[in-house]
Amino acid sequence: MSERACMPKTGLPPHIECSGKPTCDMGAEGLFDREPPRLDARVKVAALLAVNVVAVLNLSFSVEIAVMMCIVAALLYSRLNRTAARCTATYTAAVIIMAFAGGENGIASVLLVVAMVIRKTTPIFGLGYCLVATTKISELLVVMQKLRLPNSITIPFSVVLSYFPSLASEWRNVTGAMKMRGFGVSPKNVAFHLVRTMEYVMVPIIVRSATVAEEISAAAITRGIEAQDARTTVYPMEIDLADVICLVACACLVAAAVASRMGAIA
């Protein structure tokens, strides 16, 4: 087959067009198949609510360990391996601090309080990161619309959710510019030049934050976020086996937390 015979399909070079690999004629299903596995957005919202309920009701350390194991499993399933490792390390460090930080002095009491807060909030932040990192805003809007939530809730929520990645990008830009000028954000500069460091970091971020918030709001309105019609999404929203397992695990954890509150589980 000549090169001219291969070119009319897509205009790509012959070594790509005639390779027989589905690199060009790939439909929507092929694009979705290439994405890492994700839990359904509705399941992740329900799981986040369940984890918050467990954090409030639970009195058993074994149930807390089970919750943390489920969160790590969800992060690994979503291919968020670094986040899973960080959550595991943070939670383990908090448990170790609570086990060995004793005494009546003030420093030990502060460490115990900080470690307790980290223990209780690490599963919530881990699952919250999984929700934000693996869920498109359009999916969350569809979920909230199916829950019959008003636009006064869905619009601010979508704007806030879009704001955090932009704020992280602005933070990287500001710290990068400071490093180029020989004054980076380091423990040494924070310790010896705290006021100067806060000035160089906070002033640009505050100024840019107002501009970014206006840009995100304008973009959301341009995309029709205020429309009253039913929203649609190109992303598949189906409950599969992993979602069912996650829902069953959440129900079991909530039941175990209630049992620990009643004294049935030590």
Side-chain angles (χ1 to χ4, degrees), residues 105-165:
N105 54 23
I107 297 178
S109 300
V110 172
L111 287 177
L112 287 174
V113 172
V114 172
M116 175 61 73
V117 173
I118 292 175
R119 266 185 54 187
K120 294 295 185 181
T121 57
T122 296
I124 299 175
F125 282 113
L127 189 57
Y129 180 82
C130 180
L131 174 65
V132 174
T134 62
T135 307
K136 302 295 189 296
I137 298 179
S138 59
E139 291 178 314
L140 286 178
L141 290 178
V142 171
V143 171
M144 289 187 289
Q145 189 177 47
K146 289 183 178 180
L147 294 176
R148 306 296 183 181
L149 296 179
N151 287 339
S152 59
I153 296 178
T154 59
I155 293 176
F157 183 79
S158 62
V159 172
V160 170
L161 196 63
S162 303
Y163 177 76
F164 285 110

Side-chain angles (χ1 to χ4, degrees), residues 46-59:
L48 185 59
L49 294 176
V51 170
N52 281 272
V53 171
V54 172
V56 173
L57 298 179
N58 180 46
L59 296 177

Side-chain angles (χ1 to χ4, degrees), residues 198-243:
M198 292 181 62
E199 178 185 357
Y200 288 173
V201 173
M202 298 304 298
V203 172
I205 288 182
I206 291 174
V207 173
R208 281 294 302 164
S209 296
T211 305
V212 169
E214 293 179 359
E215 293 174 352
I216 292 176
S217 301
I221 295 174
T222 303
R223 294 179 180 181
I225 195 172
E226 294 180 333
Q228 299 297 328
D229 299 333
R231 300 185 63 87
T232 58
T233 177
V234 298
Y235 300 98
M237 298 184 66
E238 299 177 355
I239 302 296
D240 56 11
L241 180 59
D243 298 319

Side-chain angles (χ1 to χ4, degrees), residues 5 19 27 38 66 74 77 91 101 115 157 174 191 216 253-254 264:
S19 61
R38 300 183 302 165
Y77 177 79
Y91 184 81
F157 183 79
V174 171
I216 292 176
L253 291 174
V254 172

